Amino acid sequence: MDKLVMKEYRGCGACELCNKNIDCKKMQVPVKIKFKKSQRADNWGETVTVFEKGETVSGKAVIKDNVVYCISAKSSIYKDYEDFIDFKDIEIKKI
């Protein structure tokens, strides 16, 4: 398998796929995500850990020509939390 290239995720509005009117949902593939460091997010004004260091979760990534444009995952800590994740300090693998 070719090595995946990670784009810098800056939101859908800044994504070159969205700007070309490409339906990125059709490019979503299932992935496994391993966190090398914990990731935190805002929870109504309080910053909380949503993914733990060493945790592996399932997610979805938009990948085109081995370029990863975005990744989303559900937290196992907060059951209702699903969002795009930061590419720093993670490993991903297509499943």
Side-chain angles (χ1 to χ4, degrees), residues 31-41 48-59 71-83 85-93:
V31 293
K32 287 286 184 188
I33 306 151
K34 182 175 182 181
F35 293 89
K36 297 181 201 173
K37 289 187 177 178
S38 296
Q39 284 202 8
R40 300 173 61 78
V48 297
T49 299
V50 290
F51 298 104
E52 296 278 356
K53 177 182 177 180
E55 179 178 19
T56 300
V57 299
S58 296
I71 307 168
S72 63
K74 288 184 180 182
S75 173
S76 61
I77 300 168
Y78 293 92
K79 299 299 181 201
D80 293 331
Y81 180 85
E82 180 176 11
D83 205 352
I85 60 172
D86 191 344
F87 289 7
K88 290 187 296 187
D89 303 313
I90 64 167
E91 295 174 4
I92 70 163
K93 184 178 189 179

